[in-house]
Amino acid sequence: MNEKYFILIIFVLAFAYSGESRQPFACDPANAGIRNLRFCKTSLPIHVRVQDLIARLTLQEKIRLLVNNAAPVQRLGISGYEWWSEALHGVSNTGYGVKFGGAFPGATSFPQVITTAASFNASLWEEIGRVVSEEGRAMYNGGAAGLTFWSPNVNIFRDPRWGRGQETPGEDPHLVAQYGVSYVKGLQGGGGRGNTRLKVAACCKHYTAYDLDDWNGYDRYHFNAKVSMQDLEDTYNAPFKACVVEGNVASVMCSYNQINGKPSCADPTLLRDTIRNQWHLNGYIVSDCDSVGVLFEKQHYTRYPEDAAAITIKAGLDLDCGPFLAIHTDKAVHTGKVSQVEINNALANTITVQMRLGMFDGPNGPYANLGPKDVCSPAHQQLALQAAREGIVLLKNIGQALPLSTKRHRTVAVIGPNSDATLAMIGNYAGVPCGYISPLQGISRYARTIHQQGCMGVACPGNQNFGLAEVAARHADATVLVMGLDQSIEAEAKDRVTLLLPGHQQDLISRVAMASKGPVVLVLMSGGPIDVTFAKNDPRVSSIVWVGYPGQAGGAAIADVLFGATNPGGKLPMTWYPQDYVAKVSMANMDMRANPSKGYPGRTYRFYKGPTVFPFGAGISYTTFSQHLVSAPITVSVPTLHSHDLVSNNTTTLMKAKATVRTIHTNCESLDIDMHIDVKNTGDMDGTHAVLIFSTPPDPTETKQLVAFEKVHVVAGAKQRVKINMNACKHLSVADEYGVRRIYMGEHKIHVGDHLKHSITFQPSLEEIKL
């Protein structure tokens, strides 16, 4: 469908929309028998209203509110509610809560998360969240969506074969955490813990150590993730903690898998003790869909179904995505395995979120005016294009083959199974986009195109059409090969078995590169990394560009980068390993750190030091940048609460012994660290640059890790000063084998990119402190 025609439909429907609000979920002011009940009085504190409502419910009414398709309580004027809506990178109809059609034929489809993460632009992530929540609220007002969106996915992209790695912000805990915090703030309205009201309610998932779906006999329903306390603290749980503590997320979703022998959704240490009591979640905990049923029926964790209902509620689960609690909780109560008080506590958490959303405030509210005009608006679609541009990563560019020239490259051969992709561009957990611009359509805006798919789909089972592709390349001034993957290769419940391109794709690339008379640009569309060592080393492949799954406007963004209308500034959010890595590493091994004695190479750039196709953070530009450290502390004094933490009172001895201070035994608020860095554009083209700050602690067993980043736009020949703020407890501490956070005394190496280095020495102060 023509893009302009599609947008016209959106606006015609918006104009025809009556503007009337949906029927109030509860507390309809037209219902005289209900509107004066205490739970409807907006002048009362929310916790008072919640307790009043719970006190009015029967046991059976309470039980039917413990599941995602919560039943109505008609005698109290409360409608039924579907909790399951999704908004991973745009409002999605993956969950039952969203329905496209009528006044809402589509919603803005942003690039898949792994692509947007490559921008390293936290303000962009928050703005996307703001737009998605605006469209979600508009659809809720029109009866087409809920207000509880189970996004984002903040799992770590631990293994490159994981089919759902595309949904995540990458492999680094700090990057994933900052993405989660930014997106949650955008969705919910940006308020901190003092702001009780919500625009929509976000949900950070899947807690925890969930990053295997279906691989070599292992599946997510039966998998027991054996995780050390150290890895749990500094890798797997870190993004979830940030979501709750910094993002004030309204919900956390527990996962299917077991962690060290216990199902996540039935583990009170993980749910009640950690999320609720340590991190102080102001919201509800929900199961991944059918997780409670899975732990009983597939994992056989309990003997009776009512036991499964009881242990999950007692562990801290508030809401079951699935029917299990609705069916089995009554017997659990009547056999004394769970109490009504515990059920009341669960309901208090879910109903509180609904009240924070304004669902018990009648038809009016700060977002009541949103409607179809606010979905797929030109501004929102422009942001989708901007996000796609910012997420594109230039990995190779021999002799400045890119950008292409509209004068010298008037005819471009566009070849490959993803060359005219539409649906493939939006990845999984997507909805119905406002429209598509495919790579072929985008490139056609700049040059005359000769199009050949070459392969029958990304599986590329044969080479029957390679000859036509070679002919096209011979007759074009430049050749663009759009290759890679799609959801038939990597997806939920579909992990990869190889990092190589599927089928005969590699052969097509090599043959076309040999035939082409002009520069050859390889564009890779994928969520996970691909071993394209052959193309990296082939001088006939001039350039390599990774675009992830770039969303509805992906084709326009790709063309803008190829022809220089946009200068690429993205960086890889994950390591691209060679095929040899996965040939010898089990996906079921959850250890992050290398174990040379067992031949285990470790995972992600933090612990894997072997060869890569492209490393984490790789990405070049059409211009060049230099970085200069303007100011940063040389020493930092760390006040200590307990001198016995340090073993010795002699500072010199402490430094030599690599002493540490537990973060709970110091005043973290006094340990902020500011750095100022000048970024100069030393080339002749305006561009954006991601300043990446890494730290290496004194302990030789630890390695460098990302601790801060900032995106900056710099005009050619100019410079911009970047301020980096870090906190020693949050950014420069490491977890010990017991999962306890510690700050190492001694010299910490600070790396600004690959070249600029600085040292900060932490010294203990044995003065008494006040915490």
Side-chain angles (χ1 to χ4, degrees):
M1 181 181 288
N2 181 274
E3 177 196 10
K4 292 181 179 178
Y5 181 63
F6 195 98
I7 294 174
L8 178 62
I9 292 176
I10 297 285
F11 281 107
V12 167
L13 286 166
F15 184 78
Y17 183 66
S18 67
E20 296 177 0
S21 301
R22 65 186 294 161
Q23 283 295 109
F25 167 77
C27 302
D28 187 346
N31 188 333
I34 300 296
R35 66 189 181 199
N36 291 322
L37 296 178
R38 281 174 64 81
F39 69 81
C40 290
K41 291 186 178 298
T42 58
S43 60
L44 293 175
I46 284 179
H47 73 274
V48 173
R49 300 170 66 193
V50 169
Q51 292 304 320
D52 178 77
L53 173 56
I54 291 173
R56 297 175 186 273
L57 298 172
T58 67
L59 175 60
Q60 289 306 313
E61 289 169 339
K62 291 174 183 178
I63 289 172
R64 284 298 289 121
L65 296 180
L66 293 173
V67 291
N68 62 290
N69 58 334
V73 186
Q74 293 179 345
R75 66 184 184 85
L76 296 178
I78 300 171
S79 304
Y81 180 67
E82 176 54 67
W83 285 83
W84 184 9
S85 292
E86 300 276 359
L88 186 70
H89 52 108
V91 178
S92 166
N93 56 354
T94 303
Y96 297 140
V98 173
K99 305 292 182 186
F100 287 109
F104 302 98
T108 307
S109 187
F110 291 91
Q112 181 60 287
V113 175
I114 195 70
T115 314
T116 313
S119 71
F120 282 83
N121 187 346
S123 61
L124 173 67
W125 304 332
E126 184 168 346
E127 180 62 11
I128 291 172
R130 187 196 65 78
V131 165
V132 172
S133 67
E134 188 162 293
E135 297 198 352
R137 263 286 177 175
M139 292 181 68
Y140 173 79
N141 291 344
L147 288 176
T148 46
F149 290 94
W150 293 346
S151 305
N153 181 338
V154 293
N155 292 121
I156 298 295
F157 199 170
R158 171 187 60 93
D159 190 289
R161 292 163 286 196
W162 189 30
R164 301 188 74 176
Q166 60 182 290
E167 301 174 30
T168 78
E171 70 180 32
D172 179 79
H174 179 69
L175 172 62
V176 176
Q178 293 310 115
Y179 178 91
V181 170
S182 299
Y183 193 62
V184 165
K185 286 183 175 180
L187 285 175
Q188 296 190 165
R193 290 187 174 270
N195 181 17
T196 61
R197 293 293 176 171
L198 297 167
K199 189 177 182 184
V200 304
C203 174
C204 288
K205 62 184 185 182
H206 314 80
Y207 179 80
T208 183
Y210 168 68
D211 48 20
L212 181 153
D213 270 56
D214 190 2
W215 177 83
N216 199 28
Y218 295 94
D219 70 76
R220 59 183 175 170
Y221 303 122
H222 299 89
F223 183 55
N224 177 24
K226 297 177 182 178
V227 185
S228 71
M229 294 302 294
Q230 187 175 39
D231 286 342
L232 201 62
E233 168 62 27
D234 72 8
T235 299
Y236 298 111
N237 280 2
F240 292 96
K241 182 178 181 179
C243 272
V244 176
V245 175
E246 299 174 50
N248 196 27
V249 73
S251 176
V252 174
M253 176 184 286
C254 53
S255 54
Y256 293 113
N257 56 292
Q258 295 185 357
I259 296 93
N260 299 325
K262 288 186 178 181
S264 171
C265 294
D267 189 337
T269 301
L270 289 175
L271 304 190
R272 182 192 63 216
D273 297 346
T274 302
I275 299 177
R276 185 73 61 189
N277 295 338
Q278 290 183 27
W279 301 344
H280 305 294
L281 172 70
N282 182 17
Y284 68 98
I285 299 173
V286 61
S287 72
D288 202 345
C289 294
D290 294 319
S291 286
V292 184
V294 163
L295 71 87
F296 172 71
E297 295 162 3
K298 295 184 182 295
Q299 298 176 6
H300 308 294
Y301 191 70
T302 64
R303 185 175 181 181
Y304 300 110
E306 60 268 24
D307 291 330
I311 63 168
T312 52
I313 293 172
K314 293 171 84 71
L317 186 70
D318 301 310
L319 185 71
D320 176 19
C321 178
F324 198 91
L325 291 188
I327 298 169
H328 300 291
T329 301
D330 183 70
K331 188 171 183 180
V333 172
H334 285 99
T335 54
K337 294 176 179 178
V338 70
S339 69
Q340 283 212 52
V341 171
E342 289 164 320
I343 292 173
N344 291 348
N345 291 339
L347 291 178
N349 292 325
T350 54
I351 295 170
T352 294
V353 168
Q354 289 181 312
M355 288 199 178
R356 291 171 64 196
L357 288 163
M359 294 172 65
F360 285 81
D361 295 350
N364 300 317
Y367 309 109
N369 62 323
L370 296 174
K373 71 182 186 305
D374 302 295
V375 181
C376 287
S377 69
H380 293 181
Q381 296 196 56
Q382 182 63 31
L383 184 64
L385 174 60
Q386 177 190 339
R389 288 168 173 164
E390 290 197 31
I392 291 176
V393 182
L394 178 62
L395 294 169
K396 176 185 177 182
N397 197 26
I398 297 175
Q400 296 182 325
L402 289 178
L404 300 176
S405 165
T406 55
K407 294 181 179 179
R408 291 183 288 109
H409 306 109
R410 297 186 177 184
T411 301
V412 177
V414 184
I415 296 167
N418 281 328
S419 56
D420 200 22
T422 52
L423 185 63
M425 293 195 301
I426 60 176
N428 69 350
Y429 278 78
V432 178
C434 312
Y436 290 110
I437 301 175
S438 74
L440 177 64
Q441 290 172 322
I443 294 169
S444 296
R445 295 175 173 181
Y446 288 93
R448 188 175 73 87
T449 55
I450 308 172
H451 180 228
Q452 290 291 332
Q453 281 197 321
C455 293
M456 298 296 291
V458 296
C460 201
N463 60 5
Q464 299 91 334
N465 297 318
F466 285 14
L468 294 173
E470 290 172 294
V471 170
R474 289 192 191 101
H475 290 84
D477 301 316
T479 298
V480 176
L481 286 148
V482 191
M483 313 296 286
L485 314 177
D486 64 14
Q487 301 307 299
S488 69
I489 304 296
E490 55 176 357
E492 184 172 12
K494 188 188 292 289
D495 296 328
R496 294 158 66 193
V497 295
T498 177
L499 299 185
L500 301 176
L501 285 164
H504 294 269
Q505 283 197 42
Q506 177 172 329
D507 188 29
L508 174 62
I509 294 167
S510 297
R511 284 177 56 172
V512 167
M514 186 176 294
S516 180
K517 73 174 185 179
V520 176
V521 180
L522 174 59
V523 175
L524 294 170
M525 197 175 290
S526 72
I530 305 172
D531 184 350
V532 287
T533 302
F534 77 97
K536 177 183 176 182
N537 296 335
D538 188 344
R540 294 167 300 186
V541 177
S542 313
S543 305
I544 301 176
V545 181
W546 177 72
V547 300
Y549 293 122
Q552 65 175 47
I558 290 169
D560 288 346
V561 167
L562 296 186
F563 282 89
T566 296
N567 191 348
K571 293 184 181 296
L572 290 181
M574 72 295 204
T575 301
W576 283 35
Y577 303 88
Q579 170 64 19
D580 179 63
Y581 174 86
V582 298
K584 59 187 180 185
V585 175
S586 169
M587 195 172 174
N589 190 327
M590 301 295 292
D591 291 344
M592 296 301 299
R593 289 159 171 81
N595 188 337
S597 66
K598 295 184 178 181
Y600 183 66
R603 294 187 180 278
T604 75
Y605 79 94
R606 295 160 64 213
F607 305 109
Y608 170 71
K609 302 306 174 187
T612 63
V613 181
F614 295 107
F616 174 89
I620 54 180
S621 170
Y622 295 152
T623 189
T624 53
F625 297 95
S626 65
Q627 299 174 132
H628 172 68
L629 182 63
V630 178
S631 64
I634 298 174
T635 60
V636 173
S637 181
V638 181
T640 60
L641 179 63
H642 297 299
S643 60
H644 61 69
D645 253 9
L646 300 169
V647 182
S648 169
N649 289 336
N650 183 283
T651 301
T652 303
T653 302
L654 292 172
M655 309 297 266
K656 291 180 179 178
K658 299 294 186 288
T660 64
V661 174
R662 297 185 189 185
T663 56
I664 60 172
H665 290 167
T666 187
N667 184 359
C668 291
E669 292 182 0
S670 69
L671 295 176
D672 285 340
I673 297 169
D674 289 338
M675 299 177 63
H676 292 87
I677 299 162
D678 279 348
V679 179
K680 184 175 182 180
N681 186 335
T682 55
D684 56 6
M685 185 176 184
D686 298 354
T688 58
H689 178 67
V691 179
L692 306 185
I693 310 294
F694 298 87
S695 172
T696 305
D699 185 352
T701 64
E702 295 297 334
T703 184
K704 79 172 187 177
Q705 62 180 11
L706 185 72
V707 294
F709 58 87
E710 190 68 39
K711 194 67 172 282
V712 60
H713 179 82
V714 191
V715 175
K719 67 179 179 181
Q720 290 283 345
R721 182 158 295 179
V722 177
K723 180 181 179 180
I724 301 290
N725 177 262
M726 297 181 289
N727 179 272
C729 292
K730 176 184 173 184
H731 300 107
L732 302 178
S733 64
V734 296
D736 66 16
E737 61 185 308
Y738 304 104
V740 176
R741 285 275 178 181
R742 296 177 177 272
I743 302 172
Y744 274 91
M745 300 298 100
E747 186 181 66
H748 290 243
K749 304 273 187 197
I750 306 297
H751 313 259
V752 184
D754 295 327
H755 305 293
L756 185 59
K757 295 182 180 180
H758 175 71
S759 294
I760 300 177
T761 299
F762 287 85
Q763 297 178 341
S765 168
L766 300 182
E767 299 174 4
E768 183 178 352
I769 63 170
K770 295 181 180 180
L771 295 179

